[in-house]
Amino acid sequence: MKIELLYFKGCPNISLARKSLNEAFAKADIPAQWDEVDLNEPNTPKELKGYGSPTILVDGKDVTGIAPSGESLSCRTYYNAKGEITGAPNIEIIVKAILESVKKGQKAQKGKVILSIIIALFLVFSVHSIPFAAIFYPAPSFDLKEAVENGENISLDKILKDKDTRGV
């Protein structure tokens, strides 16, 4: 999860935006951590310069869903839950964006774990010369107990050769 607070020096609403971020992280029960990007800096990516100040991005997207417009610096205002104009996004909107990012990250992590398990199984079976198809096919049936009770001195290889191995 990447959180960015875009601003320019002298923005009258930057302290309110920082306060809103801190409160949103507290409501989401996540330690507060974000990067601050000064829109006046020459090394600021061009795609960020179209946002007003302050803007909060979660994973590169404005929490309010607004796209950048132009490249001029401007102050930005928002509407709070009561419909009043304010200088920072509604805390609930920030919380929602943060939690969606966390959920998205968990899904991605789960997919990585499943892929890791599949790769590990493949490596284990290939290293130990166990046919990978053995995962999907049941072992051949034979009566080892009967062979032992009859006093037969027979190897497992012979038993397997004599039985249907179903392509394994």
Side-chain angles (χ1 to χ4, degrees), residues 142-152 154:
F142 58 89
D143 195 347
L144 184 59
K145 181 179 176 189
E146 183 180 317
V148 171
E149 286 175 353
N150 292 338
E152 295 178 31
I154 192 165

Side-chain angles (χ1 to χ4, degrees), residues 6 17 32 42 45 48 65 85 90-91 111 121 132 139 151:
L6 310 180
L48 298 181
I85 294 176
N90 185 308
I91 293 167
L121 284 171
F132 195 66

